[in-house]
Amino acid sequence: MPPTGDTNTGARTHKMAQSGYDIRYNILRDARDMLFQEWSMKCETHRRNCDLAKKQIENMPEAPSVDDIIARAEDLYDFVCRK
């Protein structure tokens, strides 16, 4: 019987292959996570700069849009596909 999921058999580890949908979902999720982490850091930097300048917080950076996330996912996918 073939292994299901992650099965550690000593020195070898078997994993089930991911479907194309799983791969696309993971890349899309990773792109979203990357962009929101970058956005969060920009927001925190903006807050600190406003605090240091004793200014009211205005004009916060915009959150990533769906189009931004898709564009980043396409960049990641292209990178993975290159030889």
Side-chain angles (χ1 to χ4, degrees), residues 1-76:
M1 177 189 278
T4 56
D6 292 342
T7 306
N8 191 355
T9 56
R12 294 183 356 193
T13 301
H14 299 281
K15 290 186 177 183
M16 291 182 63
Q18 291 185 336
S19 73
Y21 293 109
D22 291 331
I23 293 168
R24 286 174 53 113
Y25 172 78
N26 289 336
I27 290 174
L28 189 62
R29 185 195 60 217
D30 291 347
R32 181 203 62 201
D33 292 348
M34 291 169 68
L35 286 171
F36 271 94
Q37 185 176 22
E38 291 171 14
W39 173 72
S40 179
M41 287 188 294
K42 287 177 187 175
C43 288
E44 186 57 34
T45 300
H46 184 68
R47 280 188 199 103
R48 273 189 269 142
N49 288 340
C50 287
D51 285 346
L52 290 172
K54 299 187 189 304
K55 295 188 333 187
Q56 184 174 349
I57 298 173
E58 295 176 353
N59 302 326
M60 290 296 284
E62 285 192 33
S65 68
V66 172
D67 291 335
D68 295 333
I69 295 168
I70 291 171
R72 176 67 63 93
E74 288 173 344
D75 289 343
L76 292 172

